[in-house]
Every structure is written in structure tokens, then in C-alpha cells.
């Protein structure tokens, strides 16, 4: 099993910060967003990760490379904890990269991974969201795909007014496990009035290799982009089984400034090394008393 992380977007919501620094490398406390995602894949047993990048994003690959100079300095100082953390980034997985020439949509980004993936099923992890480490999602998705051989999606329940931000599924019950549903239809970013459910596609997919042919035949859709949702809908119409798992844990969405800030605060507050002091400061700040 290989994983694909589409990460070629322009991240215009974070400009000017992302003019030179990829959004995927913005830190959540002391780890970049992308590292959380690669760690999620590695924890599920995936050791081959392909980053689909764009212009100005080579530093994403550098993050997972060795830094002998930094390692030597930390070793000289006896800072073994940070030394282990730095070395760990290069040991998580085998990192590969390919270039998406233009940001033409998620479907197009997945499509450029075809030569790396070959004929096997693979995972797609969006590059701006991740889930709780102690409530993993990928292992259950991989197990389900091994049973069905089709597409496996992850869903989260959203408010009706939020459906226009996501791919939304129509579903029916399944006997394959708790919180597992059979997908009967997919629509990209419907209005609340037209939405078939409140189940939104979370940024985790397990796809069969035949998705690449479907992507080639997919015309630009919502936003003038080649949508992965449309390619999956084609396979569904052709009889490919599509199932979904409703995720009950917490999803961190760093794709927008508010969600990014929420992730930083939540994860900082949970840290054993700084959480207690940070929560105390945060309480004082919210109450209007903290200034230092």
C-alpha cells in the first residue's frame, strides 16, 4: 500500500506567509502539518509516500531528509531528545515526489500519481488535515478496502449550512461494521437545499487503481477543476462498490486560518511539556488579564 498526499495548492488564504513557505510546513506547535499526516500514514503501516508538489515547494521534501549538520550540533550539545526528533523525520517513510504542473483540482493531482502507484489500491491523504493520533482512521479504512476491493471514504457529520464546502454522499445502511455505510451517490459542494445528507467526505480515501482511467475521462466540474468526487461517481455508476466510515474522532482542518489556529491551540493545550502553563495563560488571556 502506497500513499499520495496532494500538496500543490497555492494556499492563497495564508498569503503572504505562503509566498515562500508551503502551507503544509506551517508549524502546529513544533511539527509542521505535513509531518502529522506522514506520521498518520506511517502509523497505519504505509511506508511509501508520494508528495504531489508544485512550484516553490521543494522544502517539503527537504523536511524529511537528513540534516547531518544539525544532528552533529545537537549531539555536541547533548540534546538527545531533539536529536531523536530531527532524525525521526527521515525515518518515518520513503518520501517520493512528483510535480503537478498547474493546480487543476484534486482529481488532476491524484491523476499525476498514476505512474508511481501502478496497479494496486492506494491511500490519498489531503495535505491540510489530520486526525487525532489516539483515534486513527486509516487502519479501519484499509481493512474495509481489503474486504470490498472498491472505494473506501471517510465521512464526518457537518451542519446543513456547511454542505456547500464539501463533497457530500447519499448512503444506505451496511452490515460490514459499526459506522460503516454503503455509498449510493456523491455530489460536490451542494447547497443545503440540494444536499442528500449531512455526511461530508473527510480528506482520506482508499482508491483502486482504476480511478486513474476515470480521472482521465472526467471533465472540469465545480470551480472549473477536475474533481476527484466526479471520478469516483463515475466508478460508482459503473458498479464499483463504494463504502464509507463515519469518523467519530476529531479532525484538525488547517486549510483555513481559523482552523489552523484552532489546531495550534488545541494541540498545544494537550501537550504534557507545556499544556498546563499554556492553558493557564490562555485562560488569563481570554479573561482579559494576560499580556506577557
Amino acid at each position: 500500500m502506497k500513499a499520495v498526499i496532494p500538496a500543490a495548492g497555492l494556499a492563497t488564504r495564508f498569503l503572504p506567509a505562503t509566498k515562500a513557505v508551503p502551507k503544509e510546513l506551517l508549524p502546529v506547535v513544533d511539527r509542521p502539518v505535513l509531518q502529522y499526516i506522514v506520521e498518520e500514514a506511517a502509523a497505519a503501516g504505509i511506508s511509501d509516500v508520494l508528495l504531489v508538489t508544485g512550484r516553490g515547494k521543494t522544502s517539503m521534501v527537504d523536511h524529511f531528509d537528513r540534516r547531518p549538520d544539525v544532528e552533529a550540533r545537537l549531539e555536541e550539545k547533548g540534546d538527545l531528545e531533539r536529536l531523536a526528533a530531527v532524525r525521526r523525520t527521515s525515518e518515518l517513510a520513503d518520501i517520493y515526489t512528483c510535480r503537478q504542473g498547474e493546480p487543476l483540482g484534486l482529481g488532476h493531482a491524484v491523476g499525476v500519481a498514476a505512474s508511481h502507484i501502478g496497479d494496486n489500491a492506494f491511500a490519498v491523504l489531503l495535505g491540510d488535515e489530520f486526525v487525532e493520533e489516539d483515534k486513527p482512521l486509516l487502519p479501519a479504512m484499509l481493512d474495509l478496502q481489503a474486504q470490498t476491493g472498491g472505494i473506501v471514504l471517510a465521512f464526518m457529520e457537518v451542519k446543513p449550512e456547511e454542505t456547500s464546502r464539501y463533497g457530500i454522499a447519499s448512503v444506505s445502511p451496511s452490515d460490514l461494521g459499526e459506522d460503516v455505510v454503503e455509498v449510493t451517490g456523491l455530489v460536490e459542494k451542494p447547497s443545503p437545499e440540494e444536499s442528500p445528507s449531512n455526511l461530508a467526505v473527510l480528506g482520506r480515501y482508499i482508491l483502486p487503481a482504476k480511478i486513474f482511467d476515470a480521472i482521465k475521462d472526467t471533465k472540469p466540474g465545480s470551480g472549473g477543476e477536475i474533481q476527484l468526487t466526479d471520478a469516483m461517481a463515475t466508478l460508482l455508476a459503473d458498479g464499483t462498490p463504494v463504502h464509507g466510515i463515519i469518523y467519530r474522532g476529531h479532525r484538525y482542518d488547517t486549510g483555513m486560518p481559523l482552523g489552523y489556529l484552532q489546531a495550534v491551540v488545541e494541540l498545544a493545550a494537550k501537550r504534557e511539556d507545556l499544556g498546563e502553563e499554556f492553558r493557564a495563560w490562555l485562560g488569563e488571556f481570554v479573561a482579559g488579564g494576560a499580556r506577557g
Side-chain angles (χ1 to χ4, degrees), residues 193-212:
E193 297 76 22
E194 298 175 337
S195 182
S197 76
N198 72 329
L199 293 179
V201 179
L202 193 151
R204 299 292 180 270
Y205 312 76
I206 310 296
L207 302 171
K210 59 184 176 181
I211 190 70
F212 295 122

Side-chain angles (χ1 to χ4, degrees), residues 90-233:
S90 63
E91 298 168 351
L92 286 170
D94 295 325
I95 304 295
Y96 302 91
T97 181
C98 67
R99 178 69 64 90
Q100 183 186 17
E102 296 181 73
L104 299 178
L106 178 57
H108 183 265
V110 172
V112 302
S115 60
H116 183 82
I117 295 300
D119 297 328
N120 297 314
F122 63 103
V124 173
L125 296 82
L126 297 194
D128 54 13
E129 58 185 87
F130 55 95
V131 300
E132 295 177 87
E133 291 182 10
D134 59 352
K135 294 181 180 178
L137 176 58
L138 280 180
M141 295 181 70
L142 293 171
D143 289 344
L144 182 57
Q145 203 280 335
Q147 295 180 57
T148 65
I151 296 172
V152 175
L153 307 176
F155 295 130
M156 59 183 180
E157 296 177 325
V158 299
K159 297 176 182 178
E161 59 270 23
E162 296 177 337
T163 58
S164 60
R165 294 170 47 195
Y166 301 98
I168 302 292
S170 56
V171 302
S172 61
S174 170
D175 58 1
L176 292 176
E178 185 179 2
D179 286 330
V180 175
V181 293
E182 183 175 350
V183 178
T184 58
L186 292 165
V187 59
E188 183 68 23
K189 301 178 181 178
S191 66
E193 297 76 22
E194 298 175 337
S195 182
S197 76
N198 72 329
L199 293 179
V201 179
L202 193 151
R204 299 292 180 270
Y205 312 76
I206 310 296
L207 302 171
K210 59 184 176 181
I211 190 70
F212 295 122
D213 288 333
I215 290 172
K216 289 179 182 178
D217 294 334
T218 299
K219 302 294 188 242
S222 177
E225 298 180 335
I226 298 173
Q227 299 291 346
L228 181 61
T229 301
D230 294 338
M232 293 190 298

Side-chain angles (χ1 to χ4, degrees), residues 2-9 23-25 33-42 46 48-54 57 60-61 64 92-100 106 109-113 116-117 122-130 138 203-205:
K2 299 178 181 180
V4 174
I5 302 179
K23 176 184 67 174
E24 296 80 6
L25 291 186
V33 172
L34 185 59
Q35 185 173 331
Y36 283 90
I37 297 168
V38 173
E39 287 174 347
E40 185 181 337
I46 299 175
D48 183 309
V49 176
L50 176 70
L51 304 179
V52 180
T53 68
K57 292 201 167 189
M60 291 193 298
V61 181
F64 297 97
L92 286 170
D94 295 325
I95 304 295
Y96 302 91
T97 181
C98 67
R99 178 69 64 90
Q100 183 186 17
L106 178 57
V110 172
V112 302
H116 183 82
I117 295 300
F122 63 103
V124 173
L125 296 82
L126 297 194
D128 54 13
E129 58 185 87
F130 55 95
L138 280 180
R204 299 292 180 270
Y205 312 76

